Amino acid sequence: MTAADTAHAVDPERGTLAKAADENFPVAPFFLPRAWRTDLMAVYGFARLVDDIGDGDLAPGGADARLLGVPGDRADDRLLMLDAFEEDLHRVFDGTPRHPLLRRLAPTVRRRALTPEPFLGLIAANRQDQLVARYETYDDLLAYCELSANPVGRLVLAVTGTSTPERIRRSDEICTALQIVEHLQDVAEDLARDRIYLPAEDMKRFHVQETDLAAPTANASVRALIAYEAARARDLLNEGAPLVGSVHGRLRLLLAGFVAGGRAALGAIAAADHDVLPGPPKSGKVHLLREAGVVLRGEG
């Protein structure tokens, strides 16, 4: 058990929230108003915990299971844990939740008049991960992103009081793009979990077999496939980017950071010649800041 696992076992709430520092994008950066930071961290705590349940990444010891009323010997049953977590989510809206991260979320839900739907979407995505390990078409993957990614952007807009139908549409495009980028970065990690988020129809088109994805480095066919999916993600980012110019002040900086982070990650993938199999290509801070400047100036 690592030191982080030990800390989580003692304090599951703090252990989960501490993971924010390791995310690809700033969760609640210092320049946002304190009230926004508080509520965004509450939303993050929910999203991080449900992903940890779905990925089997909870700290050893069963602390989260006990908090959710799941017997310790069933803590590894991800579907059971997700069901218990969903039950506790409903208590956010009509009672007192058991898990401290959901108790933290309750005031945010009241302050921002949040609805259950985006939270239920994130749970449904993780439930789907237990049942679906391959996606036949790009449209199938987009439907998954509708559950796994788009609710996060919608929650950011709701917390900041800036939701409109057009902004939600643009946000969905950005969030789906970021989810696809993450899938491209994590091809090897996902395969180790017996999951492939590259559409099967595209793998066939580029003559890529599953065994090719298990190689130490990518062959020409895999690189061509990754480049194809990366171009799709970039198009989605570009379509969603006008969202940044539709808001003002600190929120504009936050949203620009999301778009810039996606573009910088795509740049890192391209710089690696689209070989993502040795590990996720990472962009440097200079590249990220440069991309943020481009987004803020509305040049790309």
Side-chain angles (χ1 to χ4, degrees):
M1 184 182 293
T2 66
D5 288 338
T6 301
H8 186 108
V10 174
D11 187 346
E13 180 182 14
R14 181 177 297 179
T16 298
L17 293 175
K19 296 181 181 182
D22 298 324
E23 299 292 344
N24 286 333
F25 305 99
V27 173
F30 70 92
F31 57 77
L32 294 179
R34 178 176 296 179
W36 285 6
R37 295 201 311 269
T38 297
D39 290 337
L40 289 174
M41 280 303 294
V43 168
Y44 170 78
F46 173 91
R48 180 68 271 159
L49 183 56
V50 73
D51 278 353
D52 285 349
I53 292 172
D55 290 339
D57 285 341
L58 294 175
D64 292 293
R66 289 192 296 273
L67 287 166
L68 294 172
V70 174
D73 61 352
R74 303 290 303 280
D76 292 333
D77 186 332
R78 299 181 195 178
L79 286 172
L80 179 63
M81 287 286 291
L82 288 168
D83 288 346
F85 193 58
E86 183 172 328
E87 289 179 11
D88 212 28
L89 170 66
H90 287 297
R91 295 186 190 100
V92 171
F93 295 88
D94 59 18
T96 302
R98 293 174 173 174
H99 200 288
L101 284 170
L102 292 183
R103 290 199 295 272
R104 174 187 286 260
L105 181 64
T108 293
V109 164
R110 291 193 295 271
R111 274 194 298 268
R112 308 299 179 182
L114 304 182
T115 64
E117 284 72 25
F119 300 105
L120 291 170
L122 295 172
I123 293 174
N126 280 275
R127 191 175 282 121
Q128 184 166 314
D129 276 333
Q130 313 313 311
L131 306 172
V132 180
R134 306 290 188 274
Y135 291 85
E136 181 62 31
T137 69
Y138 183 61
D139 284 344
D140 292 338
L141 185 64
L142 293 182
Y144 170 73
C145 293
E146 180 70 21
L147 298 173
S148 67
N150 298 358
V152 175
R154 295 183 179 205
L155 284 166
V156 170
L157 293 177
V159 163
T160 57
T162 54
S163 295
T164 67
E166 176 66 9
R167 285 174 178 154
I168 288 171
R169 183 177 71 82
R170 299 289 190 186
S171 172
D172 286 352
E173 290 167 339
I174 292 170
C175 290
T176 290
L178 295 177
Q179 180 76 86
I180 292 173
V181 171
E182 184 177 337
H183 290 329
L184 296 181
Q185 291 176 309
D186 294 342
V187 168
E189 179 182 331
D190 289 334
L191 186 63
R193 300 180 189 272
D194 192 31
R195 298 176 189 167
I196 296 178
Y197 295 101
L198 300 168
E201 64 179 7
D202 296 341
M203 291 178 63
K204 293 173 186 175
R205 174 181 175 181
F206 286 92
H207 308 289
V208 172
Q209 305 292 322
E210 289 194 15
T211 52
D212 296 326
L213 303 180
T217 59
N219 61 29
S221 295
V222 172
R223 292 171 195 249
L225 171 61
I226 297 299
Y228 177 73
E229 305 299 350
R232 281 176 152 172
R234 183 171 291 278
D235 287 345
L236 280 171
L237 276 177
N238 292 341
E239 290 167 13
L243 173 66
V244 177
S246 77
V247 299
H248 304 283
R250 300 176 190 183
L251 179 59
R252 191 162 178 256
L253 291 176
L254 178 67
L255 299 183
F258 291 156
V259 176
R263 288 179 175 174
L266 287 170
I269 290 172
D273 197 18
H274 300 98
D275 184 4
V276 297
L277 298 187
K282 298 292 186 181
S283 62
K285 289 185 178 179
V286 172
H287 189 187
L288 177 60
L289 291 172
R290 186 182 304 121
E291 291 287 358
V294 170
V295 175
L296 287 169
R297 292 192 298 272
E299 296 175 357

